[in-house]
Amino acid sequence: MQLRDSILASFPHLCEAGQIRFGVPMKDYCSFKIGGLAEVFCVPQTQQHLIDLLVFCINGNIPYFILGKGSNLLISDKGLSGVVIATSAFTKITRDEDYISAFSGVLLKDLCDFAMEQGLSGLEFAHGIPGSVGGAVFMNAGAYGGEIKDVLYCSKCLVPNLESLTSSSPVLHLKAEEHKFSYRHSALQERSLIHLSSVFHLHHDTTDAIKQRMDMLEAQRWEKQPMNLPSAGSVFKRPEGYFTGKLVDDCGLRGFRIGDAAVSDKHCGFIVNLGSASAKEVLQVIRYVQKSVFDHFGVCLETEIRILGEP
Ligand SMILES: Cc1cc2nc3c(=O)[nH]c(=O)nc-3n(C[C@H](O)[C@H](O)[C@H](O)COP(=O)(O)OP(=O)(O)OC[C@H]3O[C@@H](n4cnc5c(N)ncnc54)[C@H](O)[C@@H]3O)c2cc1C
């Protein structure tokens, strides 16, 4: 049976409700505004729907991808086969004393604004990172000296295997140290865990002071980064002892362009989509930058963004 037929037969209500769709353009779901069609695109509304979809995929050996806000992705022009599962419906945020709990689909901006309104500090660094809580925990996102690992208290995840997903207690509880956080890395990546929610431990400050710090960092972002053009943020991880932007700039690649994909002339660590860039063009720029930096400085630039689908 074709995947579409099998989905229609297994999840008729979710399809009728528009929570499962077919042939969805991924460029509408990522900050680069690049990417072909997702064969199947699901927005589960409950944890059980999410589990049912995962069980369906694992049982059928069907590839699946968990999509947060799509702000760290380069998606192939040929699209994604299998099932894309978006977390955008999981948006609950609650407070309990100095702790804030947020579900995976909560936008970092909304989490940070909530913390600010509650007079809880610690998340100011994350305000301008355009991702979801799930993506941020998965990536150990960070900026301006702060990282998710500094404020994360614990998380709930799913383990992607049938035994765990179909057990009576499918939720795995991870304490902070069990996330094995390091620079842009977490145990969620190692174990392909699916993030459900996290609790952040914050400390008291005034709303005004928190807002002031957020505004200051926001202003720095707008000053230094190409915020008005589609991108996926810093394309490369920071190599130890170097600044990526400077390495790229020193190779003379500021503004280097293939088609509509270009090294940003504002921040050389970013590649921007100047209009209708393809994933292929972005990849060509990435490879060219990597080769130039290696040839000039002997430094290997590893990509931070996740590159998905066939090249
Ligand atoms: C303009 C701009 C500025 C940026 N600045 C920064 C910055 O300062 N610091 C920084 O760290 N990053 C930055 N980024 C990159 C990006 O915002 C972060 O990596 C963010 O954490 C990604 O979150 P997301 O929800 O968009 O994840 P996505 O891009 O949707 O996914 C990223 C990865 O996380 C996985 N994932 C997402 N949700 C889940 C989940 N619930 N369970 C399991 N896996 C999941 C995906 O499968 C994928 O592998 C920037 C991006 C842009 C466009």
Side-chain angles (χ1 to χ4, degrees):
M1 214 195 284
Q2 292 287 311
L3 177 57
R4 183 191 172 98
D5 297 335
S6 154
I7 289 264
L8 283 166
S10 305
F11 303 101
H13 301 305
L14 300 191
C15 295
E16 268 166 38
Q19 292 159 23
I20 300 186
R21 290 178 291 141
F22 303 94
V24 172
M26 287 305 296
K27 68 176 168 48
D28 294 345
Y29 291 92
C30 65
S31 57
F32 240 140
K33 305 286 173 225
I34 293 173
L37 304 182
E39 189 174 4
V40 181
F41 188 93
C42 313
V43 189
Q45 309 287 308
T46 66
Q47 184 176 300
Q48 193 53 51
H49 287 169
L50 171 61
I51 291 176
D52 292 346
L53 285 162
L54 290 166
V55 167
F56 171 87
C57 291
I58 294 169
N59 253 330
N61 209 14
I62 297 158
Y64 66 88
F65 175 73
I66 307 292
L67 175 71
K69 191 66 176 118
S71 64
N72 205 31
L73 307 178
L74 177 63
I75 299 170
S76 165
D77 305 314
K78 295 177 188 158
L80 296 177
S81 55
V83 179
V84 172
I85 303 176
T87 60
S88 52
F90 301 127
T91 55
K92 194 170 162 194
I93 312 183
T94 50
R95 173 191 180 170
D96 183 5
E97 298 191 343
D98 298 351
Y99 297 86
I100 292 180
S101 162
F103 279 42
S104 58
V106 168
L107 298 184
L108 282 178
K109 183 185 179 313
D110 293 344
L111 171 65
C112 297
D113 285 343
F114 180 84
M116 176 187 72
E117 283 154 18
Q118 299 285 321
L120 288 174
S121 168
L123 277 163
E124 290 87 322
F125 75 89
H127 187 248
I129 302 177
S132 65
V133 167
V137 174
F138 185 89
M139 293 301 297
N140 184 26
Y144 303 110
E147 279 178 304
I148 286 296
K149 75 169 173 52
D150 304 332
V151 282
L152 189 133
Y153 180 70
C154 64
S155 297
K156 290 182 187 170
C157 295
L158 294 173
V159 185
N161 66 51
L162 291 178
E163 194 191 341
S164 173
L165 290 169
T166 55
S167 72
S168 55
S169 51
V171 177
L172 173 73
H173 294 250
L174 283 187
K175 293 182 198 145
E177 65 273 16
E178 290 171 321
H179 290 71
K180 296 192 182 159
F181 283 127
S182 59
Y183 174 64
R184 300 297 175 266
H185 182 82
S186 71
L188 281 73
Q189 297 175 23
E190 282 170 29
R191 299 172 61 188
S192 302
L193 299 177
I194 292 119
H195 177 272
L196 296 173
S197 64
S198 286
V199 177
F200 300 92
H201 189 189
L202 305 170
H203 58 272
H204 292 261
D205 202 347
T206 63
T207 295
D208 280 353
I210 297 168
K211 182 166 182 349
Q212 215 172 19
R213 283 193 291 275
M214 281 183 181
D215 288 349
M216 190 188 71
L217 296 179
E218 180 93 8
Q220 283 188 38
R221 250 180 214 278
W222 278 88
E223 192 196 331
K224 301 246 165 69
Q225 299 181 3
M227 302 289 285
N228 55 343
L229 287 170
S231 80
S234 298
V235 173
F236 304 103
K237 290 186 178 173
R238 193 181 54 238
E240 231 174 293
Y242 298 93
F243 288 105
T244 310
K246 180 159 174 26
L247 290 171
V248 178
D249 198 12
D250 289 349
C251 289
L253 294 176
R254 186 176 289 269
F256 172 79
R257 175 173 180 173
I258 297 178
D260 264 351
V263 172
S264 162
D265 49 20
K266 200 166 184 185
H267 186 313
C268 293
F270 281 53
I271 293 175
V272 290
N273 176 359
L274 295 174
S276 53
S278 62
K280 195 171 169 199
E281 288 166 351
V282 175
L283 269 178
Q284 285 170 342
V285 174
I286 290 175
R287 302 294 176 237
Y288 191 86
V289 167
Q290 284 174 320
K291 183 171 179 339
S292 304
V293 167
F294 186 76
D295 289 349
H296 278 78
F297 303 109
V299 177
C300 285
L301 289 181
E302 189 191 335
T303 46
E304 174 178 325
I305 60 172
R306 325 283 292 182
I307 299 171
L308 304 177
E310 273 179 53

